[in-house]
Amino acid sequence: MKIVVIGGTGLIGSKLVNKLSQQGHEAIAAAPNTGVNTLTGEGLAEVLKNASVVVDVSKAPSWGDAEVLNFFETSTRNLLTNEAAAKVGHHVALSVVGTDRLSESGYFRAKIAQEKLIKESSIPYSIVHATQFFEFLKGLADISMADNKVHLPHVLFQPMAADDVATGVAKVAVGSPVKGTVEIAGPEEFRLDDLVRRRLAALKDPREVVADPNALYSGAKISERTLLPGKNARLGETRFETWLTQPAAQIPSAPQPAGVAAGKDSRQKAG
Ligand SMILES: NC(=O)c1ccc[n+]([C@@H]2O[C@H](COP(=O)([O-])OP(=O)(O)OC[C@H]3O[C@@H](n4cnc5c(N)ncnc54)[C@H](OP(=O)(O)O)[C@@H]3O)[C@@H](O)[C@H]2O)c1
């Protein structure tokens, strides 16, 4: 099958393109630096010719509420219009576990708007909700600073390795459209502050991590189970301690962090 991966040069997208290619598919990485821009529509009609599946794992390059909303609404509309013209049979999008519970956050309102457009379109679809990536734990610390300490809520979450995210999305992409949402998650539950503390210790980063009940997640107040997947989530194999021994864990910072905002005025965003 010809499978176009929008955001195919990013963290998840590049792994996804590799996995689909290894399975014998014609997987195309589509992103601004390969000549495809979903915001402007540049290169879209061309790349979608004869495509069976489109997987959208793109991310807005900026974080302001209005910019992110504009990114996901405009790019999704452009994609769906061009997919209908090209008779694409399956639209797959990557989103975040708990999105519908996080509407207090501007970032998640944009993801909700993206999902609504997909659900209302004529293209058969599958939405994949993933939990937080191990790769972003240090990024979480970086954007959760207040008074020189990392402030995070002591809530449960079930993060996963980016490689397992790509595996989960690849499985959905080559299957039939589910016309609904599939959840994918890591194999273990942790407390957000505890795991970030362990990640920083592994990096020999001396910052103190404080369990702060007032720390926000992407601008939203969250409770004990907001970030957890449901019982039918498909679980990745990679345990946190195993991931720590892998080359990916030796890279201290990711290009853009997923976020928990410390304090009510923080503008940092998750996902
Ligand atoms: N972080 C988390 O913990 C988490 C958890 C669950 C789900 N997610 C979701 O996972 C997805 C992928 O995240 P990621 O970390 O892999 O992102 P990433 O590494 O930042 O990659 C983003 C990709 O989007 C592309 N892109 C940006 N603007 C574009 C445009 N106008 N047209 C086409 N492509 C464009 C980028 O291309 P260039 O490099 O050329 O700009 C890049 O290939 C996101 O949707 C995110 O919400 C994240």
Side-chain angles (χ1 to χ4, degrees), residues 74-99:
T74 308
S75 62
T76 303
R77 276 199 191 101
N78 282 339
L79 263 177
L80 294 170
T81 304
N82 280 277
E83 286 173 30
K87 298 192 169 43
V88 169
H90 190 185
H91 179 94
V92 181
L94 178 59
S95 192
V96 188
V97 162
T99 291

Side-chain angles (χ1 to χ4, degrees), residues 100-231:
D100 39 331
R101 299 188 285 275
L102 291 159
S103 59
E104 209 178 303
S105 150
Y107 181 83
F108 284 97
R109 284 197 295 278
K111 294 300 280 186
I112 289 167
Q114 176 193 18
E115 294 187 20
K116 186 166 183 283
L117 287 168
I118 294 167
K119 289 171 187 166
E120 289 172 356
S121 87
S122 61
I123 316 287
Y125 71 92
S126 306
I127 295 171
V128 181
H129 276 186
T131 55
Q132 291 66 35
F133 311 157
F134 293 150
E135 281 75 359
F136 287 115
L137 292 172
K138 179 178 176 291
L140 286 177
D142 295 344
I143 63 169
S144 303
M145 298 300 293
D147 305 328
N148 285 322
K149 292 176 187 166
V150 180
H151 288 249
L152 290 164
H154 189 63
V155 297
L156 292 167
F157 78 142
Q158 206 169 319
M160 62 193 300
D163 198 59
D164 287 343
V165 177
T167 300
V169 175
K171 270 192 195 135
V172 172
V174 300
S176 301
V178 301
K179 299 187 173 111
T181 302
V182 171
E183 287 190 326
I184 58 176
E188 307 161 281
E189 269 182 23
F190 297 98
R191 296 277 170 180
L192 200 52
D193 57 320
D194 288 343
L195 200 67
V196 170
R197 202 173 285 116
R198 283 166 67 179
R199 176 67 178 132
L200 294 187
L203 291 168
K204 301 194 171 24
D205 183 324
R207 283 177 291 172
E208 184 183 342
V209 179
V210 179
D212 178 352
N214 295 317
L216 303 179
Y217 180 84
S218 186
K221 181 102 175 113
I222 57 172
S223 56
E224 178 87 343
R225 307 187 68 82
T226 305
L227 300 180
L228 287 179
K231 61 178 176 8

